[in-house]
Amino acid sequence: MERRLCLITGASAGIGAEFARQYAALGWDVALTARRADRLETLAAELEEKHKVTAIVIAEDLAKKSAPAKILAALEEKGRHVDALVNNAGYGLPGTFFSTSWKEQGDFIQVLYTAPLELCHRVLPGMAERGYGRIINVASLAGYAAGSAGHTLYASVKAGLIKFSESLNAECQTLGHDDIHCTALCPGFTWSEFHDANGTREQTDKMPKWMWMAAEPVVRQGIEAVNRGQPVIVPGLVNKGMATLSRIVPEPLGRAMVRGQSRRFRKME
């Protein structure tokens, strides 16, 4: 019998690579997509050797509007369909809204918001036809916090993913698709290359170690949450506490707290 297939964006490193490892360990075939083909090939070889699954590599840049359709067309050519989708691709855009170009901001929105939503829209009909589907949108604890100076669109995009995931999960249940679940995974600070890529490693290395989580438990909790139909999951006790605090602290105080901490982990130039 053909194994189920999980499509993972941003699979070349960090949380995306960990999703690939955990789904492969569960016996799923995986489709890995990111810009860096060499890293994907290395990961694919590892998974096929260790778990005896099929790992499909599709090198695409989600900043290109044609990428979502091309990724799914490549799978269709191989006779495969998507049973689980992990929208993980993302990055931080250093600097302020004033200092960055609209091209940079537009690409950011395309990769972190538009492309994930398009992939969801494209895979959902097949999931509904087969009566099964799992979608994990990797959002962020930042989606709960007040907006901050620098990395201006990051929190708003992640907040949008949270609300979209809640709505889509509710929609699936309302329409009778009881085994199609959508979850927003909202990690806090997670050990990965994310902060190296956006130039904030120096700032984040000064933060207390207790604020950080490894990718493995973050991903595990995301998979467990989507399987039980939980629309939003904040992994880790510290992160859960911070998410709760963001809801109960008066908004002016919350904004002041974020403003005071922004320069510790935001690169303004």
Side-chain angles (χ1 to χ4, degrees):
M1 180 180 292
E2 186 180 87
R3 286 184 293 265
R4 283 177 171 157
L5 177 77
C6 178
L7 169 62
I8 303 156
T9 71
S12 59
I15 290 175
E18 183 61 28
F19 264 113
R21 292 187 174 100
Q22 292 199 28
Y23 266 106
L26 293 170
W28 285 59
D29 289 342
V30 292
L32 313 174
T33 185
R35 294 177 299 168
R36 298 175 285 190
D38 55 340
R39 288 198 173 198
L40 296 177
E41 295 285 0
T42 300
L43 178 59
E46 172 198 324
L47 300 179
E48 291 186 336
E49 172 65 23
K50 185 175 182 179
H51 299 293
K52 311 305 177 187
V53 299
T54 298
I56 301 168
V57 169
I58 307 170
E60 283 289 345
D61 183 357
L62 288 176
K64 298 178 180 177
K65 293 183 179 181
S66 60
K70 285 184 175 180
I71 291 167
L72 297 178
L75 290 176
E76 189 175 347
E77 287 177 5
K78 295 179 179 295
R80 303 304 302 267
H81 58 256
V82 176
D83 298 292
L85 168 64
V86 178
N87 280 312
N88 167 74
Y91 58 95
L93 183 59
T96 65
F97 204 67
F98 283 85
S99 64
T100 48
S101 69
W102 179 247
K103 174 67 166 59
E104 291 172 307
Q105 297 289 352
D107 286 350
F108 180 87
I109 296 169
Q110 174 65 30
V111 173
L112 276 80
Y113 197 68
T114 305
L117 269 58
E118 181 179 350
L119 284 169
C120 290
H121 196 270
R122 287 180 177 273
V123 302
L124 276 167
M127 290 179 172
E129 183 178 341
R130 293 182 297 274
Y132 180 91
R134 300 288 186 266
I135 296 173
I136 299 175
N137 293 316
V138 180
S140 172
L141 188 62
Y144 284 92
S148 66
H151 299 244
T152 321
L153 290 181
Y154 190 82
S156 59
V157 163
K158 295 304 187 180
L161 276 180
I162 294 170
K163 292 303 179 186
F164 168 73
S165 300
E166 288 179 318
S167 297
L168 183 57
N169 194 67
E171 206 170 275
C172 288
Q173 307 313 302
T174 300
L175 296 175
H177 303 304
D178 296 333
D179 210 12
I180 301 176
H181 305 155
C182 181
T183 295
L185 172 62
C186 303
F189 291 102
T190 305
W191 297 112
S192 71
E193 295 180 5
F194 180 88
H195 300 285
D196 298 303
N198 69 18
T200 58
R201 175 60 62 193
E202 182 179 353
Q203 290 95 323
T204 55
D205 277 351
K206 298 175 183 177
M207 299 179 68
K209 295 296 186 288
W210 55 263
M211 294 186 67
W212 292 83
M213 287 185 69
E216 188 276 332
V218 169
V219 168
R220 185 184 68 251
Q221 291 180 46
I223 294 174
E224 291 171 351
V226 78
N227 283 337
R228 62 177 175 260
Q230 183 175 339
V232 182
I233 174 71
V234 178
L237 291 176
V238 171
N239 293 330
K240 283 182 170 64
M242 294 174 70
T244 300
L245 186 64
S246 71
R247 296 189 190 101
I248 61 177
V249 167
E251 289 185 3
L253 177 58
R255 295 189 191 102
M257 291 168 63
V258 169
R259 186 167 59 249
Q261 296 296 317
S262 287
R263 289 188 178 275
R264 294 186 62 190
F265 52 90
R266 301 292 191 203
K267 190 175 179 64
M268 301 293 288
E269 295 83 17

